[in-house]
PDB file of all heavy atoms in Angstrom:
ATOM      1  N   VAL A 134      15.965   9.705  -1.701  1.00  0.00           N
ATOM      2  CA  VAL A 134      14.967  10.723  -1.304  1.00  0.00           C
ATOM      3  C   VAL A 134      15.084  11.870  -2.287  1.00  0.00           C
ATOM      4  O   VAL A 134      16.150  12.414  -2.523  1.00  0.00           O
ATOM      5  CB  VAL A 134      15.222  11.175   0.135  1.00  0.00           C
ATOM      6  CG1 VAL A 134      14.180  12.240   0.543  1.00  0.00           C
ATOM      7  CG2 VAL A 134      15.177   9.959   1.114  1.00  0.00           C
ATOM      8  N   ASP A 135      13.937  12.225  -2.886  1.00  0.00           N
ATOM      9  CA  ASP A 135      13.931  13.238  -3.970  1.00  0.00           C
ATOM     10  C   ASP A 135      14.691  14.492  -3.584  1.00  0.00           C
ATOM     11  O   ASP A 135      14.453  15.061  -2.530  1.00  0.00           O
ATOM     12  CB  ASP A 135      12.463  13.617  -4.261  1.00  0.00           C
ATOM     13  CG  ASP A 135      11.737  12.505  -5.052  1.00  0.00           C
ATOM     14  OD1 ASP A 135      12.452  11.582  -5.582  1.00  0.00           O
ATOM     15  OD2 ASP A 135      10.534  12.514  -5.113  1.00  0.00           O
ATOM     16  N   GLY A 136      15.550  14.886  -4.511  1.00  0.00           N
ATOM     17  CA  GLY A 136      16.260  16.154  -4.349  1.00  0.00           C
ATOM     18  C   GLY A 136      17.393  16.137  -3.314  1.00  0.00           C
ATOM     19  O   GLY A 136      17.869  17.188  -2.900  1.00  0.00           O
ATOM     20  N   THR A 137      17.750  14.960  -2.871  1.00  0.00           N
ATOM     21  CA  THR A 137      18.842  14.876  -1.858  1.00  0.00           C
ATOM     22  C   THR A 137      19.849  13.820  -2.233  1.00  0.00           C
ATOM     23  O   THR A 137      19.732  13.129  -3.268  1.00  0.00           O
ATOM     24  CB  THR A 137      18.228  14.477  -0.475  1.00  0.00           C
ATOM     25  OG1 THR A 137      17.856  13.090  -0.535  1.00  0.00           O
ATOM     26  CG2 THR A 137      17.027  15.301  -0.128  1.00  0.00           C
ATOM     27  N   ARG A 138      20.874  13.673  -1.392  1.00  0.00           N
ATOM     28  CA  ARG A 138      21.899  12.627  -1.528  1.00  0.00           C
ATOM     29  C   ARG A 138      21.612  11.515  -0.505  1.00  0.00           C
ATOM     30  O   ARG A 138      22.484  10.655  -0.274  1.00  0.00           O
ATOM     31  CB  ARG A 138      23.257  13.177  -1.283  1.00  0.00           C
ATOM     32  CG  ARG A 138      23.685  14.281  -2.257  1.00  0.00           C
ATOM     33  CD  ARG A 138      24.995  14.858  -1.814  1.00  0.00           C
ATOM     34  NE  ARG A 138      25.432  15.993  -2.658  1.00  0.00           N
ATOM     35  CZ  ARG A 138      26.539  16.679  -2.458  1.00  0.00           C
ATOM     36  NH1 ARG A 138      27.301  16.397  -1.417  1.00  0.00           N
ATOM     37  NH2 ARG A 138      26.872  17.661  -3.233  1.00  0.00           N
ATOM     38  N   VAL A 139      20.433  11.535   0.050  1.00  0.00           N
ATOM     39  CA  VAL A 139      20.028  10.557   1.073  1.00  0.00           C
ATOM     40  C   VAL A 139      19.441   9.308   0.431  1.00  0.00           C
ATOM     41  O   VAL A 139      18.532   9.377  -0.403  1.00  0.00           O
ATOM     42  CB  VAL A 139      19.090  11.163   2.078  1.00  0.00           C
ATOM     43  CG1 VAL A 139      18.593  10.085   3.073  1.00  0.00           C
ATOM     44  CG2 VAL A 139      19.678  12.321   2.803  1.00  0.00           C
ATOM     45  N   VAL A 140      19.939   8.197   0.813  1.00  0.00           N
ATOM     46  CA  VAL A 140      19.431   6.881   0.355  1.00  0.00           C
ATOM     47  C   VAL A 140      18.658   6.264   1.534  1.00  0.00           C
ATOM     48  O   VAL A 140      19.225   6.056   2.628  1.00  0.00           O
ATOM     49  CB  VAL A 140      20.552   5.918  -0.113  1.00  0.00           C
ATOM     50  CG1 VAL A 140      19.985   4.547  -0.486  1.00  0.00           C
ATOM     51  CG2 VAL A 140      21.297   6.504  -1.301  1.00  0.00           C
ATOM     52  N   GLU A 141      17.410   5.972   1.300  1.00  0.00           N
ATOM     53  CA  GLU A 141      16.596   5.301   2.330  1.00  0.00           C
ATOM     54  C   GLU A 141      16.520   3.813   2.029  1.00  0.00           C
ATOM     55  O   GLU A 141      16.198   3.388   0.947  1.00  0.00           O
ATOM     56  CB  GLU A 141      15.134   5.842   2.349  1.00  0.00           C
ATOM     57  CG  GLU A 141      14.291   5.227   3.441  1.00  0.00           C
ATOM     58  CD  GLU A 141      12.931   5.802   3.517  1.00  0.00           C
ATOM     59  OE1 GLU A 141      12.004   5.374   2.816  1.00  0.00           O
ATOM     60  OE2 GLU A 141      12.733   6.751   4.321  1.00  0.00           O
ATOM     61  N   ILE A 142      16.926   3.042   3.026  1.00  0.00           N
ATOM     62  CA  ILE A 142      16.923   1.607   2.874  1.00  0.00           C
ATOM     63  C   ILE A 142      15.773   1.016   3.721  1.00  0.00           C
ATOM     64  O   ILE A 142      15.570   1.425   4.850  1.00  0.00           O
ATOM     65  CB  ILE A 142      18.247   0.980   3.394  1.00  0.00           C
ATOM     66  CG1 ILE A 142      19.423   1.594   2.591  1.00  0.00           C
ATOM     67  CG2 ILE A 142      18.292  -0.539   3.280  1.00  0.00           C
ATOM     68  CD1 ILE A 142      20.774   1.323   3.248  1.00  0.00           C
ATOM     69  N   LYS A 143      15.014   0.121   3.126  1.00  0.00           N
ATOM     70  CA  LYS A 143      13.885  -0.457   3.813  1.00  0.00           C
ATOM     71  C   LYS A 143      14.011  -2.000   3.832  1.00  0.00           C
ATOM     72  O   LYS A 143      14.322  -2.579   2.797  1.00  0.00           O
ATOM     73  CB  LYS A 143      12.546  -0.041   3.139  1.00  0.00           C
ATOM     74  CG  LYS A 143      11.330  -0.372   3.923  1.00  0.00           C
ATOM     75  CD  LYS A 143      10.089   0.290   3.341  1.00  0.00           C
ATOM     76  CE  LYS A 143       8.868   0.091   4.275  1.00  0.00           C
ATOM     77  NZ  LYS A 143       7.695   0.790   3.717  1.00  0.00           N
ATOM     78  N   VAL A 144      13.715  -2.554   4.992  1.00  0.00           N
ATOM     79  CA  VAL A 144      13.701  -4.008   5.130  1.00  0.00           C
ATOM     80  C   VAL A 144      12.241  -4.374   5.439  1.00  0.00           C
ATOM     81  O   VAL A 144      11.683  -3.952   6.453  1.00  0.00           O
ATOM     82  CB  VAL A 144      14.628  -4.496   6.232  1.00  0.00           C
ATOM     83  CG1 VAL A 144      14.566  -6.049   6.345  1.00  0.00           C
ATOM     84  CG2 VAL A 144      16.021  -4.016   6.030  1.00  0.00           C
ATOM     85  N   LYS A 145      11.647  -5.197   4.561  1.00  0.00           N
ATOM     86  CA  LYS A 145      10.208  -5.564   4.789  1.00  0.00           C
ATOM     87  C   LYS A 145       9.991  -7.040   4.532  1.00  0.00           C
ATOM     88  O   LYS A 145      10.506  -7.596   3.515  1.00  0.00           O
ATOM     89  CB  LYS A 145       9.340  -4.797   3.797  1.00  0.00           C
ATOM     90  CG  LYS A 145       7.866  -5.044   3.943  1.00  0.00           C
ATOM     91  CD  LYS A 145       6.994  -4.383   2.903  1.00  0.00           C
ATOM     92  CE  LYS A 145       6.809  -2.904   3.187  1.00  0.00           C
ATOM     93  NZ  LYS A 145       5.858  -2.272   2.281  1.00  0.00           N
ATOM     94  N   SER A 146       9.331  -7.716   5.411  1.00  0.00           N
ATOM     95  CA  SER A 146       9.076  -9.164   5.288  1.00  0.00           C
ATOM     96  C   SER A 146       7.882  -9.564   6.178  1.00  0.00           C
ATOM     97  O   SER A 146       7.538  -8.815   7.094  1.00  0.00           O
ATOM     98  CB  SER A 146      10.293  -9.927   5.683  1.00  0.00           C
ATOM     99  OG  SER A 146      10.005 -11.329   5.732  1.00  0.00           O
ATOM    100  N   GLU A 147       7.301 -10.714   5.850  1.00  0.00           N
ATOM    101  CA  GLU A 147       6.232 -11.231   6.676  1.00  0.00           C
ATOM    102  C   GLU A 147       6.816 -11.922   7.929  1.00  0.00           C
ATOM    103  O   GLU A 147       6.070 -12.259   8.867  1.00  0.00           O
ATOM    104  CB  GLU A 147       5.383 -12.216   5.872  1.00  0.00           C
ATOM    105  CG  GLU A 147       4.541 -11.560   4.772  1.00  0.00           C
ATOM    106  CD  GLU A 147       3.861 -12.532   3.863  1.00  0.00           C
ATOM    107  OE1 GLU A 147       3.725 -13.698   4.296  1.00  0.00           O
ATOM    108  OE2 GLU A 147       3.438 -12.171   2.760  1.00  0.00           O
ATOM    109  N   ASN A 148       8.128 -12.099   7.930  1.00  0.00           N
ATOM    110  CA  ASN A 148       8.804 -12.737   9.064  1.00  0.00           C
ATOM    111  C   ASN A 148       9.474 -11.635   9.913  1.00  0.00           C
ATOM    112  O   ASN A 148      10.434 -11.027   9.454  1.00  0.00           O
ATOM    113  CB  ASN A 148       9.863 -13.724   8.541  1.00  0.00           C
ATOM    114  CG  ASN A 148      10.472 -14.547   9.661  1.00  0.00           C
ATOM    115  OD1 ASN A 148      10.826 -14.010  10.669  1.00  0.00           O
ATOM    116  ND2 ASN A 148      10.594 -15.859   9.433  1.00  0.00           N
ATOM    117  N   LYS A 149       8.944 -11.433  11.099  1.00  0.00           N
ATOM    118  CA  LYS A 149       9.459 -10.363  11.950  1.00  0.00           C
ATOM    119  C   LYS A 149      10.898 -10.578  12.346  1.00  0.00           C
ATOM    120  O   LYS A 149      11.714  -9.639  12.391  1.00  0.00           O
ATOM    121  CB  LYS A 149       8.590 -10.290  13.200  1.00  0.00           C
ATOM    122  CG  LYS A 149       8.884  -9.117  14.134  1.00  0.00           C
ATOM    123  CD  LYS A 149       7.926  -9.044  15.305  1.00  0.00           C
ATOM    124  CE  LYS A 149       8.198  -7.866  16.159  1.00  0.00           C
ATOM    125  NZ  LYS A 149       7.278  -7.739  17.334  1.00  0.00           N
ATOM    126  N   ASP A 150      11.279 -11.847  12.638  1.00  0.00           N
ATOM    127  CA  ASP A 150      12.656 -12.138  13.009  1.00  0.00           C
ATOM    128  C   ASP A 150      13.637 -11.806  11.861  1.00  0.00           C
ATOM    129  O   ASP A 150      14.734 -11.331  12.110  1.00  0.00           O
ATOM    130  CB  ASP A 150      12.800 -13.583  13.435  1.00  0.00           C
ATOM    131  CG  ASP A 150      12.052 -13.909  14.722  1.00  0.00           C
ATOM    132  OD1 ASP A 150      11.931 -12.950  15.541  1.00  0.00           O
ATOM    133  OD2 ASP A 150      11.641 -15.017  14.899  1.00  0.00           O
ATOM    134  N   ASP A 151      13.216 -12.105  10.632  1.00  0.00           N
ATOM    135  CA  ASP A 151      14.092 -11.819   9.480  1.00  0.00           C
ATOM    136  C   ASP A 151      14.313 -10.313   9.387  1.00  0.00           C
ATOM    137  O   ASP A 151      15.479  -9.886   9.119  1.00  0.00           O
ATOM    138  CB  ASP A 151      13.423 -12.287   8.180  1.00  0.00           C
ATOM    139  CG  ASP A 151      13.565 -13.790   7.987  1.00  0.00           C
ATOM    140  OD1 ASP A 151      14.150 -14.446   8.882  1.00  0.00           O
ATOM    141  OD2 ASP A 151      13.059 -14.291   6.995  1.00  0.00           O
ATOM    142  N   VAL A 152      13.264  -9.542   9.604  1.00  0.00           N
ATOM    143  CA  VAL A 152      13.445  -8.084   9.553  1.00  0.00           C
ATOM    144  C   VAL A 152      14.411  -7.588  10.625  1.00  0.00           C
ATOM    145  O   VAL A 152      15.272  -6.748  10.389  1.00  0.00           O
ATOM    146  CB  VAL A 152      12.061  -7.357   9.704  1.00  0.00           C
ATOM    147  CG1 VAL A 152      12.240  -5.861   9.803  1.00  0.00           C
ATOM    148  CG2 VAL A 152      11.131  -7.706   8.515  1.00  0.00           C
ATOM    149  N   LYS A 153      14.332  -8.159  11.804  1.00  0.00           N
ATOM    150  CA  LYS A 153      15.209  -7.718  12.881  1.00  0.00           C
ATOM    151  C   LYS A 153      16.671  -7.984  12.589  1.00  0.00           C
ATOM    152  O   LYS A 153      17.514  -7.156  12.715  1.00  0.00           O
ATOM    153  CB  LYS A 153      14.786  -8.468  14.179  1.00  0.00           C
ATOM    154  CG  LYS A 153      13.552  -7.901  14.873  1.00  0.00           C
ATOM    155  CD  LYS A 153      13.272  -8.712  16.147  1.00  0.00           C
ATOM    156  CE  LYS A 153      12.083  -8.119  16.902  1.00  0.00           C
ATOM    157  NZ  LYS A 153      11.789  -8.898  18.117  1.00  0.00           N
ATOM    158  N   VAL A 154      16.961  -9.239  12.101  1.00  0.00           N
ATOM    159  CA  VAL A 154      18.356  -9.599  11.921  1.00  0.00           C
ATOM    160  C   VAL A 154      18.940  -8.909  10.639  1.00  0.00           C
ATOM    161  O   VAL A 154      20.111  -8.502  10.655  1.00  0.00           O
ATOM    162  CB  VAL A 154      18.547 -11.091  11.839  1.00  0.00           C
ATOM    163  CG1 VAL A 154      18.240 -11.757  13.195  1.00  0.00           C
ATOM    164  CG2 VAL A 154      17.666 -11.740  10.757  1.00  0.00           C
ATOM    165  N   ILE A 155      18.108  -8.802   9.643  1.00  0.00           N
ATOM    166  CA  ILE A 155      18.623  -8.139   8.403  1.00  0.00           C
ATOM    167  C   ILE A 155      18.863  -6.675   8.650  1.00  0.00           C
ATOM    168  O   ILE A 155      19.875  -6.107   8.191  1.00  0.00           O
ATOM    169  CB  ILE A 155      17.619  -8.352   7.230  1.00  0.00           C
ATOM    170  CG1 ILE A 155      17.549  -9.816   6.835  1.00  0.00           C
ATOM    171  CG2 ILE A 155      18.030  -7.521   5.991  1.00  0.00           C
ATOM    172  CD1 ILE A 155      16.423 -10.128   5.835  1.00  0.00           C
ATOM    173  N   SER A 156      17.980  -6.034   9.385  1.00  0.00           N
ATOM    174  CA  SER A 156      18.137  -4.591   9.716  1.00  0.00           C
ATOM    175  C   SER A 156      19.364  -4.341  10.506  1.00  0.00           C
ATOM    176  O   SER A 156      20.045  -3.290  10.345  1.00  0.00           O
ATOM    177  CB  SER A 156      16.902  -4.116  10.494  1.00  0.00           C
ATOM    178  OG  SER A 156      15.707  -4.164   9.726  1.00  0.00           O
ATOM    179  N   LYS A 157      19.685  -5.280  11.345  1.00  0.00           N
ATOM    180  CA  LYS A 157      20.906  -5.132  12.217  1.00  0.00           C
ATOM    181  C   LYS A 157      22.180  -5.234  11.391  1.00  0.00           C
ATOM    182  O   LYS A 157      23.182  -4.551  11.682  1.00  0.00           O
ATOM    183  CB  LYS A 157      20.893  -6.272  13.258  1.00  0.00           C
ATOM    184  CG  LYS A 157      22.034  -6.135  14.281  1.00  0.00           C
ATOM    185  CD  LYS A 157      21.969  -7.264  15.301  1.00  0.00           C
ATOM    186  CE  LYS A 157      23.123  -7.192  16.250  1.00  0.00           C
ATOM    187  NZ  LYS A 157      23.066  -8.325  17.244  1.00  0.00           N
ATOM    188  N   GLU A 158      22.195  -6.043  10.329  1.00  0.00           N
ATOM    189  CA  GLU A 158      23.394  -6.339   9.577  1.00  0.00           C
ATOM    190  C   GLU A 158      23.587  -5.531   8.286  1.00  0.00           C
ATOM    191  O   GLU A 158      24.715  -5.382   7.810  1.00  0.00           O
ATOM    192  CB  GLU A 158      23.500  -7.824   9.234  1.00  0.00           C
ATOM    193  CG  GLU A 158      23.536  -8.805  10.450  1.00  0.00           C
ATOM    194  CD  GLU A 158      24.813  -8.624  11.218  1.00  0.00           C
ATOM    195  OE1 GLU A 158      25.789  -7.995  10.722  1.00  0.00           O
ATOM    196  OE2 GLU A 158      24.835  -9.030  12.398  1.00  0.00           O
ATOM    197  N   ILE A 159      22.472  -5.001   7.748  1.00  0.00           N
ATOM    198  CA  ILE A 159      22.560  -4.391   6.413  1.00  0.00           C
ATOM    199  C   ILE A 159      23.506  -3.201   6.359  1.00  0.00           C
ATOM    200  O   ILE A 159      24.291  -3.042   5.404  1.00  0.00           O
ATOM    201  CB  ILE A 159      21.142  -4.012   5.931  1.00  0.00           C
ATOM    202  CG1 ILE A 159      21.197  -3.527   4.442  1.00  0.00           C
ATOM    203  CG2 ILE A 159      20.487  -2.904   6.775  1.00  0.00           C
ATOM    204  CD1 ILE A 159      21.472  -4.633   3.507  1.00  0.00           C
ATOM    205  N   LEU A 160      23.465  -2.328   7.363  1.00  0.00           N
ATOM    206  CA  LEU A 160      24.357  -1.120   7.302  1.00  0.00           C
ATOM    207  C   LEU A 160      25.820  -1.501   7.435  1.00  0.00           C
ATOM    208  O   LEU A 160      26.599  -0.992   6.653  1.00  0.00           O
ATOM    209  CB  LEU A 160      23.940  -0.142   8.398  1.00  0.00           C
ATOM    210  CG  LEU A 160      22.695   0.649   8.076  1.00  0.00           C
ATOM    211  CD1 LEU A 160      22.357   1.612   9.250  1.00  0.00           C
ATOM    212  CD2 LEU A 160      22.693   1.369   6.770  1.00  0.00           C
ATOM    213  N   PRO A 161      26.227  -2.335   8.406  1.00  0.00           N
ATOM    214  CA  PRO A 161      27.648  -2.725   8.499  1.00  0.00           C
ATOM    215  C   PRO A 161      28.151  -3.372   7.170  1.00  0.00           C
ATOM    216  O   PRO A 161      29.262  -3.117   6.745  1.00  0.00           O
ATOM    217  CB  PRO A 161      27.673  -3.696   9.630  1.00  0.00           C
ATOM    218  CG  PRO A 161      26.531  -3.346  10.477  1.00  0.00           C
ATOM    219  CD  PRO A 161      25.449  -2.890   9.520  1.00  0.00           C
ATOM    220  N   VAL A 162      27.305  -4.266   6.589  1.00  0.00           N
ATOM    221  CA  VAL A 162      27.696  -4.910   5.306  1.00  0.00           C
ATOM    222  C   VAL A 162      27.834  -3.870   4.195  1.00  0.00           C
ATOM    223  O   VAL A 162      28.823  -3.863   3.447  1.00  0.00           O
ATOM    224  CB  VAL A 162      26.740  -6.020   4.957  1.00  0.00           C
ATOM    225  CG1 VAL A 162      26.981  -6.522   3.544  1.00  0.00           C
ATOM    226  CG2 VAL A 162      26.805  -7.159   5.978  1.00  0.00           C
TER     227      VAL A 162
END
Side-chain angles (χ1 to χ4, degrees):
V134 178
D135 287 344
T137 72
R138 300 173 183 177
V139 175
V140 175
E141 182 177 86
I142 302 165
K143 190 169 188 177
V144 181
K145 181 186 284 188
S146 172
E147 293 173 16
N148 188 314
K149 187 176 182 180
D150 291 333
D151 283 0
V152 173
K153 283 182 177 179
V154 293
I155 293 172
S156 297
K157 182 180 178 181
E158 298 295 342
I159 188 70
L160 287 181
V162 170

